[in-house]
Amino acid sequence: MGIIIAGGHGQIGLRLAALLGPEAAGLVRNPAHVADVEATGARAVLCDLERAGLDEVARVVEGASAVVFAAGAGPGSGAPRKDTVDRGASVLLADAAGRAGVRRFVQISGIGVGKPLVPGRDEVWAAYIKAKTEAEEDLRARDLDWTILRPGRLTNDPGTGRVLLAPEVPPGAVPRDDVAAVVVALLDDQGSVRRTLELVSGDTPISDLAGRE
């Protein structure tokens, strides 16, 4: 089946689907979003990770070579959905990957996750950081070939094809185009397995990231 993308209609998910084409299947919960995913060349699969059970999701991912968690509750959502999507859906997808025997799992998180909250941020932001932190902790405890990717501030600027990817990087921004391209590179990068990596724009060509041992 190729690569399963949770959050298939998200801004990064659609970019990733366009890069992978027929190799990818984007999960969507809204039937109205199917056409947008299919327009990228990827397949669309209706699966609501807030409502689906483990058996259903395991059937969806069975036979895949990798799973990418690119889902998020998104702007305008309240604290409860930060938990059900940013944490709960990731945990469910990891459970399903384990049951279906899919070992490769790339989770898109964010810089700032796992660190003390910046004073003055609101309740929803605190809920987001908590949900993402718990999702990361859950994934690290699993016997999967996981990679956690923490992009910096996301922009819609055109991708530059050059990034800084390391366990810790200075604060910065990165185009969503480049995040998607880095995910593609990481899928075949054995050097990134069981590592948490931060990402901002930089000087290293993304093409140099693929295939590292």
Side-chain angles (χ1 to χ4, degrees):
M1 183 181 292
I3 314 299
I4 298 292
I5 306 168
H9 193 256
Q11 295 191 66
I12 292 174
L14 287 171
R15 287 168 167 83
L16 183 56
L19 293 174
L20 294 169
E23 187 182 357
L27 306 188
V28 296
R29 63 186 180 90
N30 186 342
H33 294 162
V34 167
D36 291 338
V37 175
E38 292 179 341
T40 68
R43 291 194 309 112
V45 177
L46 283 171
C47 182
D48 185 347
L49 293 176
E50 288 183 273
R51 298 180 181 275
L54 176 56
D55 288 344
E56 177 186 345
V57 182
R59 287 193 296 270
V60 167
V61 304
E62 187 175 7
S65 58
V67 172
V68 178
F69 186 80
S77 59
R81 290 203 70 224
K82 301 304 183 188
D83 181 70
T84 58
V85 178
D86 292 278
R87 182 201 60 80
S90 178
V91 170
L92 174 60
L93 192 64
D95 283 342
R99 176 171 291 191
V102 180
R103 292 202 55 82
R104 191 71 175 110
F105 194 111
V106 176
Q107 181 189 80
I108 299 178
S109 188
I111 286 181
V113 172
K115 299 176 182 177
L117 282 171
V118 176
R121 300 305 294 261
D122 62 22
E123 176 188 357
V124 174
W125 178 256
Y128 166 79
I129 293 296
K130 180 177 184 291
K132 285 293 190 187
T133 297
E134 291 178 357
E136 287 190 2
E137 291 171 348
D138 173 83
L139 189 58
R140 289 192 193 96
R142 294 178 182 269
D143 181 25
L144 294 173
D145 294 336
W146 55 263
T147 300
I148 296 169
L149 180 65
R150 292 173 169 175
R153 181 175 56 82
L154 298 170
T155 76
N156 288 326
D157 296 334
T160 67
R162 291 179 175 270
V163 297
L164 174 60
L165 179 72
E168 188 169 358
V169 302
V174 60
R176 290 179 172 86
D177 288 349
D178 287 338
V179 176
V182 167
V183 171
V184 173
L186 291 177
L187 287 169
D188 292 323
D189 177 18
Q190 291 302 308
S192 70
V193 170
R194 303 189 74 81
R195 297 185 70 192
T196 301
L197 300 169
E198 297 183 349
L199 174 69
V200 293
S201 293
D203 298 322
T204 302
I206 294 173
S207 57
D208 288 354
L209 302 178
R212 296 179 300 172
E213 296 293 339

